[in-house]
């Protein structure tokens, strides 16, 4: 009798897991994927609206000017790299 009860419990768990992985899990993943697509779409729409400009509008993007560093070099000059020419 105990063996039959254990087999019945295992069968019940087997069918519950089977139901979970065939019905509930795909439903949950599809719902989650749909939410992610909506979020991405709204971000893209916001970005596209920001990028749209009226005809004739000019926008200039510049980096802020940096002052001189402590060594006396201008920050925009870059770094000098010594090299040898190979023939």
């Amino acid at each position: 009798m105990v063996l039959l009860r254990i087999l019945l419990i295992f069968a019940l768990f087997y069918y519950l897991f089977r139901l979970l992985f065939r019905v509930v899990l795909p439903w949950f993943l599809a719902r989650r994927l749909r939410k992610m697509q909506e979020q991405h779409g709204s971000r893209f729409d916001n970005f596209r609206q920001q990028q749209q400009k009226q005809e004739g509008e000019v926008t200039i993007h510049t980096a802020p000017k940096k002052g001189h560093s402590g060594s006396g070099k201008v920050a925009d000059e870059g770094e000098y790299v010594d090299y040898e020419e190979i023939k």
Side-chain angles (χ1 to χ4, degrees):
M1 195 57 139
V2 175
L3 183 61
L4 184 62
R5 187 174 184 188
I6 291 173
L7 288 176
L8 185 62
I9 291 172
F10 279 132
L12 181 66
F13 278 122
Y14 171 75
Y15 284 112
L16 284 176
F17 280 119
R18 189 172 164 187
L19 175 70
L20 177 74
F21 284 110
R22 288 193 178 195
V23 176
V24 177
L25 189 64
W27 171 79
F28 177 74
L29 291 176
R31 185 174 152 222
R32 185 80 172 133
L33 184 64
R34 195 175 320 115
K35 282 185 180 181
M36 289 173 63
Q37 286 176 340
E38 289 172 1
Q39 288 175 352
H40 180 70
S42 66
R43 287 180 188 165
F44 180 73
D45 289 340
N46 291 340
F47 177 75
R48 188 172 42 182
Q49 287 175 357
Q50 290 175 354
Q51 295 298 320
Q52 290 178 346
K53 299 175 185 171
Q54 293 182 357
E55 187 175 339
E57 182 180 341
V58 178
T59 305
I60 300 173
H61 298 282
T62 59
K65 294 188 178 191
K66 297 180 181 177
H68 294 284
S69 61
S71 64
K73 286 186 169 181
V74 176
D76 293 338
E77 285 182 12
E79 184 177 328
Y80 178 75
V81 177
D82 195 19
Y83 70 96
E84 290 185 24
E85 222 177 280
I86 301 175
K87 292 185 180 183

